[in-house]
Amino acid sequence: MPLKVHAWLACLAFPAVSAAAQEAAGADEAMSAPTIARSFGDTGLMARFNSSEQYGAVQARTGLYTAHANVARAGGVTTGFKDDVTTLVTPVNMIMPLRGLGQGLHVKLGYANILSRGSEGHATQVDNDSQTGLAQLLWLIGDQALIGGGVIHEVSNIGLRHNEGGITTQGAGVRVDMLYRFASHWGASLRISRLSGEADSKIPSTRLGVIASRQSFRRTYSEASVVGTYRGAQSAFVPHGWIMRPSAAFIWQDSRFSAGTNNLGTAVDSRSEQYMLGTATVRLEQDGFAPWRVRSYGEAGLEQELRNNVAQVDDDPTSLYIKAGAAMNMGGKGRLDLYVARRDSIKGSFQSTTVNLLLSMAF
């Protein structure tokens, strides 16, 4: 009789033990499955993936070049242009897994507000308020590659305080991103966006009054970079407790504006703008990015314009770049960054200070 009882209890216990084993195996599998944070959190690539600083810097610089050219055409001034710009960039990004649609699929929602102000006392004084929105579907492929594709929307209001004019643009388009770890210490990122929309401009004239025009535009922006990661515990040339991230990037922007007619019936010519920029920087940041801990970092390097047909009266293509900031791990669910970046052209015609407050969350 006791033997039968033991056998009966064993039969009841076996399914429970089997289910527990399956749950444990499932938990272990979930813990070992690749995630975006585990795959790319320590590579330095996520900072580029979520940042809008470089994009905003390109728009600010090309906008100033255009303003210089317009002032030169209107008044014959071709020298002495100088700009000092202060910019506040506040991006917010959120990444969530789509477990019901398949392993490795995520959705990313992003928003960035870019406020730029030109200083007084210069031939051109340009302000720019821009807002960009993003919705992407991300696909994590193993622990080495991340591919994203989605839609973007952008609104920009440019104030030309030097002549009381203004330009408003609004557009929509698509954006594709890719992150790839191709070596133990190196990774690469790629961003390509295509934006199409309308640009409305109103420029006061002492002789003709306000000249208003509308042009359709198409802007293609590409940014490719490589980022290295060397820890003090692994490399003799890095201080203990620090991480060194050398990086190089190539930025290319192609903008095309259609022909049109202004409110005076005068034809507005079409135009095409090409701008290429190369950058090389070295970043040093504190290691040990534990939850709710603040870690400081600094970065310095060089930016060199490689092609620029936007600048008609400027010749100052090289800038020094320096950045200092701090980041906090948001309990393992995200990152809060606050930094100040400075760009100073070698010949002194352009200075830019950018304050970036970036919040990135992943669930």
Side-chain angles (χ1 to χ4, degrees), residues 14-162:
F14 180 77
V17 172
S18 178
Q22 290 177 0
E23 288 182 6
D28 291 341
E29 184 179 352
M31 288 297 294
S32 62
T35 66
I36 293 178
R38 282 200 291 267
S39 299
F40 296 100
D42 64 343
T43 64
L45 295 174
M46 293 301 294
R48 288 191 174 273
F49 181 50
N50 291 322
S51 175
S52 298
E53 182 205 340
Q54 190 68 69
Y55 176 79
V58 169
Q59 307 318 312
R61 193 72 192 270
T62 55
L64 289 171
Y65 284 144
T66 302
H68 295 173
N70 290 337
V71 169
R73 281 194 295 268
V77 179
T78 59
T79 60
F81 289 103
K82 187 174 182 178
D83 296 286
D84 192 344
V85 181
T86 302
T87 304
L88 174 64
V89 185
T90 52
V92 178
N93 299 284
M94 181 174 61
I95 298 176
M96 298 175 293
L98 299 175
R99 295 185 178 88
L101 297 182
Q103 186 175 358
L105 290 179
H106 300 71
V107 63
K108 176 183 177 182
L109 303 176
Y111 171 82
N113 194 39
I114 303 173
L115 304 177
S116 181
R117 296 291 181 266
S119 63
E120 302 283 349
H122 299 301
T124 53
Q125 301 166 31
V126 181
D127 300 335
N128 188 359
D129 297 348
S130 299
Q131 295 80 40
T132 64
L134 164 73
Q136 274 187 318
L137 184 65
L138 307 179
W139 182 27
L140 179 62
I141 306 173
D143 61 354
Q144 289 187 309
L146 176 70
I147 298 176
V151 295
I152 55 175
H153 185 266
E154 180 178 317
V155 177
S156 182
N157 293 285
I158 302 170
L160 308 175
R161 283 187 284 122
H162 53 277

Side-chain angles (χ1 to χ4, degrees), residues 236-295:
F237 53 86
V238 180
H240 181 72
W242 290 82
I243 303 173
M244 187 181 73
R245 300 193 194 276
S247 67
F250 173 78
I251 296 96
W252 170 67
Q253 178 166 288
D254 178 82
S255 302
R256 299 178 183 273
F257 294 82
S258 66
T261 304
N262 61 30
N263 60 327
L264 303 179
T266 305
V268 178
D269 295 335
S270 62
R271 72 179 193 273
S272 175
E273 301 175 350
Q274 285 83 41
Y275 184 81
M276 297 181 185
L277 182 72
T279 72
T281 65
V282 175
R283 174 170 170 151
L284 198 63
E285 62 184 65
Q286 286 183 300
D287 205 349
F289 197 55
W292 306 113
R293 297 184 67 179
V294 177
R295 287 293 178 261

Side-chain angles (χ1 to χ4, degrees), residues 45 48 182 186-189 224-228 246-249:
L45 295 174
R48 288 191 174 273
F182 61 87
W186 288 89
S189 69
S225 65
V226 291
V227 180
S247 67

Side-chain angles (χ1 to χ4, degrees), residues 172-186:
V174 296
R175 172 175 154 177
V176 176
D177 289 89
M178 185 180 73
L179 305 181
Y180 180 61
R181 300 183 64 163
F182 61 87
S184 58
H185 293 286
W186 288 89

